[in-house]
Amino acid sequence: MKTSNTNILLLVSLILAFEFLILCNGQGTLLSKTFYKKSCPKALDIIKNVTSSKVAANSALGAKLLRLHFHDCFVRGCDASVLLDPVGTGQTEKQSIVNTFLSGYDVIDNIKTAVEKVCPDVVSCADILALAARDSVSVPFGKPMWDVLLGRRDGNVSLLTDTFVQLPAPFSNFTSLKTLFASKKLNLNDLVTLSGGHTIGVSHCGSFSNRLSNFSSTSNTDPSLDPAYANLLRTECPTNSNPEVEMDPQSSLSFDNHYYKILFEKKGLFQSDAALLTNRDATTIAQKFTNNKKFFEEFGKSMQKMGAIEVLVGKVGEIRKQCRVVNSK
Ligand code: HEM
Ligand SMILES: *[C@@H]1O[C@H](CO)[C@@H](O)[C@H](O)[C@H]1NC(C)=O
Ligand SMILES: *[C@@H]1O[C@H](CO)[C@@H](O)[C@H](O)[C@H]1NC(C)=O
Ligand SMILES: *[C@@H]1O[C@H](CO)[C@@H](O)[C@H](O)[C@H]1NC(C)=O
Ligand SMILES: *[C@@H]1O[C@H](CO)[C@@H](O)[C@H](O)[C@H]1NC(C)=O
């Protein structure tokens, strides 16, 4: 009959539409390596060139850009919300105390300016940040360390208060880390792998000084911290100032698996690092990364998952003209 045929057709198209929706919701499925191939074929080279010249002038930059990308993705997804400057009395993510030591914003601005000159209004700030993080870490290797999937669009909301809820704290225990990562669709393997980001960069003493004195009613120093290392940190961290220390001593500029080696020596700097060894499965994963090749492989995969958190794609969001401000209507 004609009507039942129409009904079946309707049903089939409903099912197809539903499946399409599910596919679209699968984060990252709409990102692609070749997103700018036609619309801005030079974008990736420009971003790589500007990033490498900045890293050549400041080798600490790789860590800054990697952390900036992480803090972008965990708060409202990878939508460049972390880059937005406050307007009026509205307080944005970058003003949060947990983001005090983020930097690299000026480098993103420089890259954006260079890209806009060649293809205006095409490349999102969120994609630039994802690429710059990858490229800055990759400079010493002379080749891209992982593929960055592209097509993110920029958000128009940035709230200081989001940062407290959505970012892990250096004193987070294993349960809260695992729960928080799971809320971003990142699993235990991703947690252990991405914590390896602490193989580069620095921390201010204030982020771990609670481990060095008056730690608990039973122990002055955090028992999960190597006592000799705690002594060294105490000398580097005078109580009246808040200097920086290397997170992976003597190896803080080299992106490698050294983080896991010192983790097993109880020299992970944060409680969140030490917390990984409080879980058997996490410990097993960390042990696997005493093989550098395995760490690099997994890090790339987990960065792709992190880079796909709650991304805006298609028609939602916008391509910002300037990374620090939303477009005016
Ligand atoms: C697992 C939960 C994590 C916690 C609790 C955490 C916490 C922190 C803290 C407190 C600092 C030092 C801030 C300061 O005092 O200056 C830091 C630095 C850093 N974090 Fe994390 N982080 C985590 C995960 C990650 C991830 C997933 C990445 C990237 C993949 C990352 C990359 C970095 C880098 C590169 C630095 C050094 C930044 C610099 O040199 O300025 N972290 N992190
Ligand atoms: C990037 O740098 C390379 C090497 O300096 C140069 O050959 C190339 O033309 C640059 N590409 C762009 C798009 O600026
Ligand atoms: C972990 O931290 C959370 C949040 O501070 C707390 O509620 C929970 O009791 C802690 N879990 C353990 C096992 O200590
Ligand atoms: C440790 O705690 C005690 C009691 O709360 C306090 O008097 C002392 O100043 C603290 N010491 C340090 C180094 O913070
Ligand atoms: C922010 O973006 C959303 C979704 O893309 C849009 O609906 C809304 O109008 C935008 N708001 C402003 C103030 O631009």
Side-chain angles (χ1 to χ4, degrees):
M1 298 292 281
K2 201 169 178 215
T3 42
S4 72
N5 271 349
T6 331
N7 281 343
I8 286 171
L9 241 154
L10 199 76
L11 191 70
V12 167
S13 42
L14 264 174
I15 290 170
L16 281 176
F18 190 57
E19 276 174 357
F20 181 66
L21 270 177
I22 289 174
L23 272 177
C24 293
N25 280 332
Q27 297 165 352
T29 49
L30 290 186
L31 299 180
S32 89
K33 206 182 145 177
T34 54
F35 189 80
Y36 296 112
K37 201 171 177 161
K38 290 212 176 88
S39 58
C40 189
K42 288 200 173 141
L44 273 66
D45 268 350
I46 298 169
I47 294 166
K48 191 178 78 188
N49 282 5
V50 180
T51 308
S52 5
S53 71
K54 297 287 174 187
V55 172
N58 172 14
S59 53
L61 189 62
K64 311 293 175 203
L65 293 175
L66 183 63
R67 186 167 187 235
L68 200 54
H69 179 44
F70 159 52
H71 280 218
D72 180 31
C73 291
F74 264 62
V75 183
R76 283 183 182 268
C78 317
D79 66 345
S81 54
V82 74
L83 304 179
L84 289 173
D85 279 343
V87 179
T89 53
Q91 301 218 288
T92 60
E93 291 170 29
K94 58 165 64 161
Q95 291 173 296
S96 168
I97 188 158
V98 303
N99 283 338
T100 308
F101 298 117
L102 288 184
S103 64
Y105 301 110
D106 52 334
V107 175
I108 301 299
D109 291 340
N110 292 152
I111 299 173
K112 177 68 171 171
T113 306
V115 173
E116 287 300 290
K117 261 189 207 145
V118 179
C119 345
D121 304 324
V122 173
V123 185
S124 68
C125 296
D127 277 348
I128 289 178
L129 184 49
L131 285 162
R134 188 271 310 266
D135 290 341
S136 61
V137 167
S138 304
V139 166
F141 299 90
K143 59 161 198 222
M145 293 299 282
W146 60 88
D147 285 336
V148 177
L149 304 181
L150 302 164
R152 299 169 189 79
R153 291 168 65 86
D154 300 323
N156 56 14
V157 179
S158 178
L159 301 173
L160 180 152
T161 46
D162 280 345
T163 61
F164 301 119
V165 195
Q166 308 206 20
L167 284 167
F171 48 81
S172 297
N173 60 34
F174 180 76
T175 323
S176 10
L177 289 170
K178 201 179 156 201
T179 310
L180 183 64
F181 272 63
S183 74
K184 309 287 170 193
K185 299 201 165 69
L186 298 176
N187 60 26
L188 183 63
N189 191 61
D190 300 315
L191 168 62
V192 178
T193 307
L194 292 170
S195 295
H198 290 167
T199 182
I200 50 171
V202 294
S203 166
H204 290 75
C205 289
S207 300
F208 56 85
S209 54
N210 69 314
R211 307 181 76 193
L212 304 179
S213 64
N214 274 3
F215 178 70
S216 71
S217 55
T218 51
S219 177
N220 187 46
T221 309
D222 183 342
S224 66
L225 188 61
D226 175 74
Y229 190 48
N231 281 336
L232 174 70
L233 290 171
R234 271 189 282 266
T235 66
E236 291 177 337
C237 294
T239 39
N240 53 355
S241 66
N242 190 17
E244 295 177 351
V245 304
E246 291 177 288
M247 289 199 292
D248 182 0
Q250 278 114 57
S251 176
S252 75
L253 286 175
S254 102
F255 188 85
D256 56 20
N257 63 348
H258 199 250
Y259 166 84
Y260 299 96
K261 292 188 184 150
I262 62 166
L263 189 63
F264 286 108
E265 295 167 9
K266 296 170 74 175
K267 293 176 185 166
L269 195 52
F270 305 131
Q271 284 165 280
S272 63
D273 298 315
L276 300 177
L277 300 187
T278 64
N279 176 270
R280 213 180 52 187
D281 293 339
T283 304
T284 307
I285 298 167
Q287 263 153 0
K288 197 175 70 181
F289 293 150
T290 46
N291 176 324
N292 210 27
K293 193 164 166 269
K294 287 214 175 76
F295 170 56
F296 284 171
E297 274 167 21
E298 289 299 317
F299 195 77
K301 283 189 212 160
S302 290
M303 283 300 290
Q304 286 185 347
K305 282 177 77 178
M306 188 180 91
I309 296 173
E310 297 155 33
V311 289
L312 306 174
V313 290
K315 287 198 161 64
V316 286
E318 61 183 17
I319 305 297
R320 255 178 239 158
K321 288 180 191 297
Q322 288 178 53
C323 292
R324 291 170 188 264
V325 288
V326 300
N327 296 341
S328 50
K329 292 245 158 137

